[in-house]
Amino acid sequence: MSAAAHQVATALTPQHALRVHDLSVAYEGKEVLTDTEVSLHRGEWLGLIGPNGSGKSTLLRALVGLVASSGEITLGDGTPPGSTDLALMPQHPELPVGMSVMEYVLLGRTSHLGWFAQESRQDRQIAIDVLRRLHLTSFTDRPVTRLSGGEAQRVVIARALAQQSPILLLDEPTSALDLGHQVEVLELVDELRHEDGLTVVAAMHDLGTAGRYADRLALLDRGRLVAIGDPATVLEPSLLSRVYGHPVHVHDVDGHLVVVPAPRPSRAAREAKRHTVKEIS
């Protein structure tokens, strides 16, 4: 074991689910994720936030080995994660034409099968149980291409859950959903987290929603982790304004943080600014 790996292993406790140490990713010689350090506690929800292109999806993909990376990724016992330890729900999952909901959910069992192995009765039962818990049993034979947006998101979650991994990675799980379906999906994930003790890492676009569901937030900016902590600490107006490049306000509404852009200047102020710019030019 390398010195770095030894340090990581000795820093872990049984309460840890995953440790990311000095993780970096480069595309065509350009580093897009740099020296990332994160420790995940068992059963927690970590929200990944940051502007587009900040490295959120890259981090999730690196955790499951979909992109080449350097650094250390270890489980709570100090060993590297295997194919069944982490399940990823991608942002834009492919829903194959002609595939039923049951067939799609059974794809979550692939990592448990050997070469050329067929799904067993146990695999099918696991898929059936997941569909039942997500209230999708009536969709078993329906083609995945004939699902609504909310139904499709639940089916994609079902596939991830069928893998029975203790760590669930979600990449913008509600990006294509309306407000009602967003709440439905996130409440479902939170319920399953508490029932099954799942550890959740979710890249989330809406900052207020991220603060509402996540125990901790990790703020990324241009591939670097610039802040990590509880939502009240990370959702700080001056920090967010700097990272997002636009002034924002943070309000407490019934105990929940809401992040909004700073108000636009009045029409008169905008007109005066335009006249001033024109005169200077």
Side-chain angles (χ1 to χ4, degrees), residues 7-21 37-46 73-79 81 85-86 166-167 197-201 216 228:
Q7 290 175 357
V8 171
T10 55
L12 295 170
T13 73
Q15 286 72 44
H16 283 97
L18 193 74
R19 171 73 181 270
V20 178
H21 173 67
E37 299 272 347
V38 177
S39 293
L40 292 174
H41 305 294
R42 294 186 188 278
E44 80 165 325
W45 183 321
L46 178 69
I73 303 172
T74 52
L75 298 174
D77 61 2
T79 62
D85 290 312
L86 299 95
I167 303 172
L198 293 174
T199 302
V200 176
V201 184
R216 291 189 299 153
I228 186 167

Side-chain angles (χ1 to χ4, degrees), residues 144-161:
V144 291
T145 52
R146 291 179 53 194
L147 300 170
S148 70
E151 292 163 353
Q153 292 289 69
R154 285 160 59 199
V155 167
V156 174
I157 291 175
R159 172 181 167 171
L161 292 175

Side-chain angles (χ1 to χ4, degrees), residues 90-155:
Q91 183 176 358
H92 302 292
E94 181 180 351
L95 299 176
V97 175
M99 181 173 285
S100 71
V101 167
M102 173 58 81
E103 290 169 333
Y104 184 79
V105 173
L106 277 171
L107 291 177
R109 302 299 302 161
T110 302
S111 58
H112 294 269
L113 305 177
W115 290 103
F116 307 114
Q118 296 288 324
E119 296 92 354
S120 66
R121 180 178 298 178
Q122 181 185 10
D123 293 318
R124 293 190 65 84
Q125 188 59 53
I126 290 170
I128 291 170
D129 289 344
V130 169
L131 289 170
R132 176 182 52 78
R133 293 181 68 188
L134 273 61
H135 309 292
L136 291 168
T137 51
S138 61
F139 295 83
T140 301
D141 298 321
R142 182 180 296 187
V144 291
T145 52
R146 291 179 53 194
L147 300 170
S148 70
E151 292 163 353
Q153 292 289 69
R154 285 160 59 199
V155 167

Side-chain angles (χ1 to χ4, degrees), residues 143-263:
V144 291
T145 52
R146 291 179 53 194
L147 300 170
S148 70
E151 292 163 353
Q153 292 289 69
R154 285 160 59 199
V155 167
V156 174
I157 291 175
R159 172 181 167 171
L161 292 175
Q163 188 171 319
Q164 292 190 317
S165 299
I167 303 172
L168 181 61
L169 311 177
L170 307 174
D171 193 356
E172 300 285 1
T174 61
S175 59
L177 301 181
D178 59 43
L179 180 60
H181 285 113
Q182 286 181 26
V183 173
E184 179 181 279
V185 167
L186 293 174
E187 287 290 340
L188 172 63
V189 171
D190 200 43
E191 178 183 328
L192 294 170
R193 172 173 74 113
H194 286 99
E195 288 181 358
D196 297 354
L198 293 174
T199 302
V200 176
V201 184
M204 306 179 75
H205 178 72
D206 184 273
L207 302 180
T209 301
R212 183 184 184 96
Y213 286 95
D215 300 307
R216 291 189 299 153
L217 297 176
L219 176 61
L220 292 163
D221 182 26
R222 289 172 288 185
R224 291 187 178 275
L225 182 63
V226 296
I228 186 167
D230 63 84
T233 300
V234 178
L235 298 181
E236 195 277 322
S238 62
L239 173 62
L240 296 179
S241 298
R242 175 174 60 81
V243 170
Y244 283 86
H246 187 85
V248 303
H249 292 172
V250 180
H251 303 284
D252 187 316
V253 179
D254 297 329
H256 298 288
L257 297 178
V258 177
V259 182
V260 295

